[in-house]
Amino acid sequence: MPDNIPELPIERLRLTGLRPTRQRVALAELLFGRDDWHFTAEEIHAQAVKRGVPVSLATVYNTLHQFVEAGILREVAIESSKTYFDTKINDHFHFFFEKNGSLVDIDTADIKVENLPKPPPGTEIARIDVLVRLEPSRKKGG
């Protein structure tokens, strides 16, 4: 995690200018303060409900997107209908396991991105996302 992001969830919210509402703090406590991880809004909603946090799925989605806009969470779009969120916000890449839908970080030292196209006038490259989709190996000769 970058040095300038506080460990305490409520301090993260204050640093970004987000008002620390009860629901934001409860969701931030679910997300942060542990190792970096990947999750869907549905998974966070289920965890919140299990812990007795009164929050709708729509509020979870809205809050996660607010966290993304504030720069304390990263969004990883797998498909138009499947989005993961990532607490590791620095530049890195992912393996996506098609069979079970899990997302795993790739060591950035293992990837070299070269010969990028020049962006159109008036634009700049904001980020490069690499998603490597994996499936079980098919046995040969079978």
Side-chain angles (χ1 to χ4, degrees):
M1 173 184 331
D3 293 336
N4 60 344
I5 297 180
E7 289 291 327
L8 294 175
I10 196 165
E11 292 303 320
R12 282 184 188 219
L13 296 178
R14 287 188 176 129
L15 176 72
T16 63
L18 289 172
R19 193 165 53 92
T21 64
R22 185 177 314 137
Q23 289 179 324
R24 282 184 187 145
V25 170
L27 293 174
E29 287 174 349
L30 285 171
L31 302 177
F32 307 113
R34 58 166 79 175
D35 290 337
D36 290 318
W37 63 302
H38 308 97
F39 51 87
T40 64
E42 292 80 8
E43 290 169 338
I44 291 303
H45 180 253
Q47 285 186 23
V49 168
K50 186 176 179 180
R51 290 191 181 182
V53 178
V55 64
S56 69
L57 182 57
T59 298
V60 170
Y61 269 106
N62 290 337
T63 302
L64 293 177
H65 285 107
Q66 290 168 353
F67 288 178
V68 169
E69 286 182 27
I72 59 173
L73 199 62
R74 182 175 177 172
E75 186 173 18
V76 181
I78 303 299
E79 299 164 348
S80 61
S81 63
K82 188 71 168 177
T83 299
Y84 285 79
F85 296 89
D86 192 346
T87 57
K88 185 176 180 178
I89 58 173
N90 64 334
D91 289 336
H92 66 286
F93 310 118
H94 296 98
F95 282 125
F96 179 68
F97 293 83
E98 297 274 352
K99 187 167 182 136
N100 68 7
S102 63
L103 194 65
V104 177
D105 290 344
I106 298 173
D107 184 0
T108 54
D110 294 340
I111 294 182
K112 188 174 186 180
V113 179
E114 296 181 312
N115 301 320
L116 293 173
K118 185 176 179 183
T123 65
E124 63 184 10
I125 296 173
R127 183 173 94 192
I128 298 169
D129 290 322
V130 174
L131 179 71
V132 179
R133 295 173 177 270
L134 302 173
E135 61 183 28
S137 299
R138 295 184 178 107
K139 293 183 180 181
K140 294 185 179 196

